[in-house]
Amino acid sequence: MLQSMQIEGGYPLVGEINISGAKNLALPAMVTTLLTEDEIILNNVPDLSDVHSLLGLLEYLGCDINIDKVNSKLILKTTNIKYTEAPYDFVRKMRATILVLGPMVARFGAASVSFPGGCAIGVRAIDLHIKALQLLGAEVTMDNGFINVCAPNGLKGCEITFPIITVTGTENSIMAAVLAKGTTKLINAALEPEVEALCNLLNSMGAKITGQGTSIINIEGVEKLHGTTFDIIPDRIEAGTYAIASAITHGKLFLKNCIYKHLALFFNTLKLNGISIEEKQNGVMVENNNDKINPINIRTAPYPGFATDLQAQYMALMAISGGTSLITETLFENRFMHVSELNRMGANITIKGNTATVKGVNKLSGAQVMATDLRASASLILAGLFANGTTTVNRLYHIDRGYESIDKKLQQCGAHIKRISI
Ligand code: EPU
């Protein structure tokens, strides 16, 4: 049965929201089980449909899985592997399954993944993942819709220069290089906190990685990796989304566990918007006491720039600002699909090329809207929290890919929001 989210707008959110573990670290962290026969124990894993999709693939490949739901703990053990091929049915649900290529070829000498193809937010090529694996000495072929990577004699350290920054491309290369012979140097590597944390996890398994968190990462290959226990860092995109929920409803929310520095530029932007942001010992307080929100232009960029994963949500806030703002999306060519839905609610947004011109309006009105991808869904929920009347966000399955219990977390702070089945 399809689910929708029904929101009665106009209630300020007040209270505390606990930020869950980061989806975009949990996924690569789970895949590290393919690099060792020992147990990998992950704490603070969010309960998301993307996590379950990847667990489905890992189980198919031959991984033993134990889930301790109460403690958000995952115990993974891949003593051996049954298949080295990720079939289409798993890959089509989630592009991040491409992350199994690097570790599988590193440990087992072979890996095939069904070609992920396009996705809602853009074409999202994987040429840089393939190029990196080839530089590491793997042979890559494509047939029947599969990418086949093979390195029967193991991978060899090398120098890889990324022409553009790619998050999962960097992660795949690192997970391939940790078991390669010799040293690998990644140049123009992704700086995202999730990439840095993945390197820390791999080092706790016995890998020798230095430079994580900078654009040059060195990986000295080791023979074998061992088991570990690791805590997933808080989800900065979830935290940013709830910060906007506080701002857009003129509320006051404490984002428990949110790491301020992971959102430094975003929080500085909100401060310029007139929102009060206060870093506390165990999180961040976000409060909006102003009648009007200042319009500020933003341009998405890889970390530490303005995250593309917060662009749609920020647009909902700018839709009700006291002026005109320009929002430029530089990473994905099709990440403005929320615009037509926000306009249905009364927003005044036009698009030219990769820039949206957002003219702030005084009110939005509830409507039936369609979620097109994960972050677009969040944007529509935020708009619904502000709008007069009832907003129904359809195609809710997108939101459950990346936000743990979003309805419950918002309800606890005073939102009038509920899931309905249609
Ligand atoms: N690109 C290429 N070739 C490649 C790889 C990437 O041309 O081989 C291009 C992409 O088309 C895009 C740009 O490089 O224009 C950056 O893409 P990137 O590879 O960094 O994206 P990703 O690794 O596929 C991760 C997140 C996304 C997030 C982006 C950008 C995970 C699992 N996914 O995707 O998260 O938007 O980085 O920060 O980490 C989300 O959580 O909603 C989400 C989409």
Side-chain angles (χ1 to χ4, degrees), residues 250-297:
H250 295 267
K252 183 176 181 180
L253 287 182
F254 180 62
L255 311 175
K256 190 169 168 217
N257 297 328
C258 168
I259 299 176
Y260 184 92
K261 69 173 183 197
H262 289 172
L263 283 160
L265 183 125
F266 172 77
F267 282 142
N268 279 337
T269 310
L270 286 188
K271 283 181 191 168
L272 294 172
N273 292 127
I275 314 300
S276 145
I277 308 282
E278 214 183 316
E279 185 179 5
K280 303 261 190 197
Q281 213 183 5
N282 190 23
V284 177
M285 183 69 90
V286 180
E287 184 174 7
N288 182 7
N289 286 318
N290 292 337
D291 279 348
K292 268 293 159 207
I293 294 159
N294 303 324
I296 301 289
N297 300 342

Side-chain angles (χ1 to χ4, degrees), residues 85-88 91 112-115 141-148:
E85 184 179 295
Y88 177 69
V91 178
S112 298
V113 171
S114 171
F115 200 79
T141 55
M142 279 177 227
D143 60 46
N144 304 325
F146 276 83
I147 307 150
N148 309 304

Side-chain angles (χ1 to χ4, degrees), residues 45-94:
V45 178
D47 188 6
L48 301 171
S49 62
D50 269 9
V51 165
H52 291 284
S53 299
L54 186 57
L55 283 174
L57 172 61
L58 291 174
E59 188 170 35
Y60 168 86
L61 295 174
C63 172
D64 281 334
I65 298 168
N66 273 299
I67 306 176
D68 173 355
K69 225 173 166 169
V70 179
N71 297 306
S72 305
K73 186 194 287 257
L74 262 185
I75 303 167
L76 306 171
K77 191 169 196 296
T78 311
T79 312
N80 221 316
I81 203 151
K82 278 198 250 165
Y83 308 101
T84 53
E85 184 179 295
Y88 177 69
D89 256 4
F90 292 108
V91 178
R92 87 182 154 80
K93 282 193 203 140
M94 188 182 51

Side-chain angles (χ1 to χ4, degrees), residues 139-205:
E139 194 181 302
V140 182
T141 55
M142 279 177 227
D143 60 46
N144 304 325
F146 276 83
I147 307 150
N148 309 304
V149 184
C150 139
N153 301 318
L155 298 168
K156 272 210 236 55
C158 65
E159 188 169 298
I160 302 169
T161 303
F162 292 101
I164 53 170
I165 291 174
T166 160
V167 175
T168 50
T170 301
E171 292 170 343
N172 230 339
S173 309
I174 293 168
M175 288 192 281
V178 281
L179 291 179
K181 288 188 195 86
T183 303
T184 300
K185 183 177 186 178
L186 305 185
I187 299 169
N188 201 24
L191 305 175
E192 271 67 3
E194 295 77 19
V195 176
E196 186 177 353
L198 176 67
C199 293
N200 296 340
L201 159 59
L202 290 163
N203 280 348
S204 74
M205 295 168 68

Side-chain angles (χ1 to χ4, degrees), residues 23-24 124-128 166-168 309 331-332 375:
K23 166 178 84 79
N24 289 346
R124 298 181 84 183
I126 52 158
D127 55 318
L128 302 174
T166 160
V167 175
T168 50
D309 291 344
L331 276 96
F332 296 115
R375 308 302 172 188

